Amino acid sequence: MQASHKNAQKQLQRTSQNLTDSISAIDAFQEQLQSAGARYTFLQQIKAYIADLCDMLQAKSPIVEELQDHMMGLQQHRGQTAAENSAGNEREEMAPAEAAVQAALGVLSRGGAEAAATAGAERAADAAEANLLENLPEKLDEFGRDENVELREEMSRRARKRNAQYSTPPAQPQDAAEERWGDATTDESDSELTHYRSKRAEALEASASVFADASEEYGSLAAVKDRLEKWKQQQPGAYADAYMSLSVPAVMAPFVRLELLRWDPLFGSSTGFDSQEWYKQLFEYGLNGDNSTSGNGSDPDEELVPRLVAQLVLPLAAHSLQHAWNPHSRRSTAVAKAMLEDLLIYVPPDEPKLQDLLASIRQQLERAVASTRLPPWPPTAAAASRRATIFLARRFGKALRLLHNILTFDGVLPRSVLQDLALVQLVQKQLLPYLRAGAASVPVAVDRASRVLTDIAQLKGLTQGSAKALEPLAEFLSAMARALEAQQNRSTAKHVQLAKQLAKLLSVVGSSARSQELLAAFPG
């Protein structure tokens, strides 16, 4: 009986344990069932949310893209108009200046006095400028209206502006040996600026209402980002199985495009796209501080921002730089280089679209250099006309801006390409003849050479090819040094200062020994 009782107790204990285990298993299964139900419900909610979001974006994306095309058109129109104004102004300034030089040359060749040459030059310049308007024929449209009326008004406006500038020299350093013209870019009229700003403001105002009728959970980048991040955090497996990392760039694109409408680095604020809100919000999208995969490249969401930059920012930057960038503008060129440097952080250098953009920059620089012309007018004839003198000074200043801008791309474009454009095509073929034209005055020649070498001196590590390209300029400076040494017997403090300046330039072009000789000749 005792043995039977013990067996019964053991069986009761096992039964009780089994019952307890069964109850625990049932509780676990119930929890799993509830969890599965919650996951299913969450997935159904996400599925419905994504479907509604895609429907909304399908309706809104064309509107955003149309606004973006409109903004790009405004930029292109402004860039083309500025280029046309610049070309027209140079043509209209060239004709009177050339006529003045020819008239002065005729007087001087007959042995006339400088005063007579100056008077003849001014009469010829006035006549040439009057002919610009008189020789513009009528161009009637289908309603009999003259289409050239607006062009005449624009030409008259530019003529008045030029004439006002002739009597008001620009600000310049106190030690300048001659008036410095052409340092500033003024190719746009007030009416064009007003038109661009008003149209842009209208587009931005319209953009503010694109998502205004969408509910809060769909109508902003922050709301969509938070919803998708919540899904990834709660169900990373389902998130990965749905290949959301491939779809997120397309989902975020309309919101990013909308904010990029405000990005106008060439004509507005020069801040980069990385200062915009979309960049700040998406830079660490889907990455948690405690996520072991964060930052090691195993999470495909780490490529979200680089993908958006390649898909959305790169085309915008390419359009701006190809259609609105002015190669002669210092500001826009500095912005252009900053844009390229930012793009190179996120876009692989061998990306075809980026390579096309760099090739376009190079081609625009080549065209700008090819169009640079400083007429080889005889110095005495040019000096007889203030208009001709200012015209040459403007062309020289514009060429210096181009030289600065070419060298600005050092580190972005190949050094060999930049050195050929800057030192051979521009300095040797265009600027050096203008320097030689001022050789009769050592201070003027040194002043001009100093302006040319200001940016060249900033290049680090001149190659053998660049040193060879500077040889003609070094020879010119050596000739100026000999001219200055010829005045050694009547040396003054100005001569000593000029010798120091010239010696510094000789060092820049690699003539250190000649520099030391000049300094020894003018101690002080």
Side-chain angles (χ1 to χ4, degrees), residues 311-327:
Q311 295 172 10
L312 304 181
V313 180
L314 177 56
L316 284 180
H319 183 273
S320 295
L321 295 179
Q322 290 170 355
H323 299 288
W325 170 56
N326 179 3

Side-chain angles (χ1 to χ4, degrees), residues 22 34 38 87 104 139 152 178 198 207 229 262 399 427 515:
S22 297
Q34 291 176 352
K139 184 179 179 181
R152 289 191 185 90
E178 60 179 350
S198 64
S207 70
E229 279 187 321
R262 299 184 176 278
V427 173
S515 172

